[in-house]
Amino acid sequence: RQSSRQGTSIEGSVIDMLTILPNKLYLSQETQAVKRNPEMKAFVTPEDVEYIPFCDDFGPYNLTSVIFFACTLNDEMDAHRSKRIVYLVDTDPRRLTNSVFLLGAFLMLTRKMEPGQVWAKFSSIEETLLEPYRDASFDPPDFALSLLDCWRGLWRAMSLHWLALPTTRPTVWGQIDLEEYEHYEDPLNGDITQVVPGKLIAFKGPVDLGSSMYSDRQGFRRFSPSYYVQVFQHLGVKTVVRLNEECYHRSAFENHRIRHVDLPFDDSGTPPMGVVSEFMRVARESSGLVAVHCKVRIAPSSIAKAWIISSHLSRNGESGTWLKQFHTQMPVSDRRC
């Protein structure tokens, strides 16, 4: 089909040229046509921007990738002001969806466009060319996150000043220090992410390793409570909430003046209302950050969603997307929160 929008051409199942910013930025799947035009400069997704799936999930990208993409594209446009930048994208529905998500996030971060304005830029793309985001499982999905959900989650974070353009330090975006974020998110450094700035941290469940701080076995690194104690004292964590069965003694944290609370439930299930209510009370009473974990870091996303929705009047899709962008694993059960 041919779109009536000026500068926009979508033929059949191929995006010829989609206008994003007139005379400045375009989206296309016609690689050769772009490369033959001297007035155009081709741009592709940087190699460093990648999504590492847990199961059959494919996105959206986490904040590091989103910000790196936005900065790289912005620099490319500044370096070639006399040319039209054309973002070349794949025809695979998942790859195309990820590219559209990144480009929409770029418009929000650098041009302050609201989600509805961003969606209007891509509304002429045939729905069958895209694929909704799904949960982290291999089961057939029965709940989906749309691109609009993703952009609304990002916009909500921006409206709460969790995420903003840097002012004094280039690595600090709002309340998110990218250097700290990248360091602690690494599975070799604790697999820790601050999913609600200034309030909630999700981390991999520690285990009793005797006098060792960590142990490497079968390609995975496990951490003792003593490792996390050092990190949490630096970050200002005052409370640890355990959502799984006991794999260490609570005194490992309590001996260092970090409160410890047990709220166990099935790692792959929806948290009971009693658990949710008690967690909300504990989080509100805590004088500092609350760090929450289960055995494989699935359950904290359900609990974190409840906190975000309750405390910040967020939609289910918005909170789920924000957690996905922090790369916390979203299980099947999380669809029902």
Side-chain angles (χ1 to χ4, degrees):
R1 68 191 176 94
Q2 180 77 33
S3 171
S4 61
R5 183 177 300 177
Q6 185 178 6
T8 297
S9 179
I10 301 178
E11 300 288 351
S13 60
V14 176
I15 302 173
D16 179 25
M17 194 67 63
L18 181 63
T19 303
I20 305 301
L21 298 174
N23 301 316
K24 294 182 179 180
L25 182 61
Y26 299 81
L27 181 79
S28 178
Q29 293 174 325
E30 293 288 356
T31 304
Q32 296 305 317
V34 173
K35 291 183 176 179
R36 288 194 299 264
N37 191 329
E39 296 181 354
M40 294 181 174
K41 178 70 169 63
F43 177 81
V44 297
T45 303
E47 291 184 1
D48 290 341
V49 176
E50 62 175 336
Y51 181 87
I52 301 174
F54 292 101
C55 299
D56 190 39
D57 48 314
F58 64 95
Y61 293 103
N62 69 4
L63 281 182
T64 301
S65 293
V66 168
I67 291 172
F68 181 76
F69 176 89
C71 291
T72 304
L73 178 54
N74 206 49
D75 290 346
E76 188 80 354
M77 293 178 68
D78 285 342
H80 303 279
R81 292 179 179 271
S82 63
K83 294 190 176 184
R84 288 174 285 171
I85 304 298
V86 182
Y87 182 25
L88 296 177
V89 297
D90 203 292
T91 56
D92 175 77
R94 291 188 166 191
R95 292 179 181 272
L96 176 59
T97 300
N98 277 338
S99 296
V100 171
F101 165 70
L102 286 171
L103 199 50
F106 164 81
L107 295 174
M108 296 178 66
L109 287 171
T110 66
R111 300 302 190 272
K112 304 299 183 195
M113 288 190 183
E114 297 186 9
Q117 295 174 300
V118 172
W119 175 244
K121 295 287 184 180
F122 303 100
S123 60
S124 59
I125 298 178
E126 192 71 47
E127 187 175 338
T128 56
L129 300 182
L130 302 168
E131 183 174 337
Y133 290 115
R134 56 158 300 153
D135 56 359
S137 77
F138 289 108
D139 297 327
D142 59 7
F143 175 84
L145 285 175
S146 69
L147 284 166
L148 191 56
D149 286 328
C150 296
W151 294 326
R152 282 172 173 165
L154 195 63
W155 184 257
R156 189 63 178 166
M158 293 170 65
S159 69
L160 293 168
H161 307 292
W162 293 352
L163 183 64
L165 290 174
T167 52
T168 55
R169 290 175 54 196
T171 62
V172 178
W173 288 63
Q175 297 182 48
I176 299 168
D177 186 324
L178 283 184
E179 289 183 343
E180 183 178 85
Y181 169 77
E182 287 184 293
H183 174 78
Y184 287 123
E185 186 199 32
D186 191 325
L188 297 179
N189 295 324
D191 202 1
I192 304 166
T193 43
Q194 193 168 162
V195 295
V196 177
K199 194 60 187 179
L200 295 184
I201 283 178
F203 71 108
K204 185 178 181 179
V207 294
D208 186 357
L209 298 174
S211 59
S212 300
M213 297 286 280
Y214 63 86
S215 171
D216 294 326
R217 190 175 66 181
Q218 298 178 333
F220 294 94
R221 176 165 291 183
R222 300 184 303 164
F223 296 89
S224 68
S226 57
Y227 173 87
Y228 287 111
V229 165
Q230 295 183 74
V231 177
F232 290 170
Q233 288 176 334
H234 167 70
L235 296 177
V237 171
K238 299 297 184 183
T239 305
V240 168
V241 177
R242 176 167 54 192
L243 304 177
N244 60 289
E245 71 277 6
E246 184 174 322
C247 295
Y248 62 88
H249 198 276
R250 58 190 299 144
S251 63
F253 288 106
E254 292 175 333
N255 289 343
H256 296 275
R257 298 184 179 180
I258 297 176
R259 183 187 180 192
H260 189 279
V261 178
D262 278 308
L263 296 174
F265 69 94
D266 180 8
D267 217 9
S268 61
T270 301
M273 283 306 301
V275 169
V276 173
S277 298
E278 182 62 13
F279 175 81
M280 303 289 275
R281 185 188 67 79
V282 169
R284 290 195 176 101
E285 289 178 353
S286 179
S287 59
L289 286 169
V290 177
V292 56
H293 78 84
C294 63
K295 190 173 184 179
V296 292
R297 206 182 153 190
I298 292 179
S301 62
S302 303
I303 291 292
K305 279 182 69 176
W307 172 266
I308 295 173
I309 292 171
S310 172
S311 302
H312 301 288
L313 302 178
S314 162
R315 306 182 191 198
N316 185 32
E318 293 173 358
S319 58
T321 296
W322 176 250
L323 292 168
K324 285 280 280 181
Q325 288 169 32
F326 261 111
H327 221 169
T328 54
Q329 192 167 355
M330 299 291 286
V332 178
S333 62
D334 219 26
R335 301 178 305 217
R336 300 190 292 270
C337 293

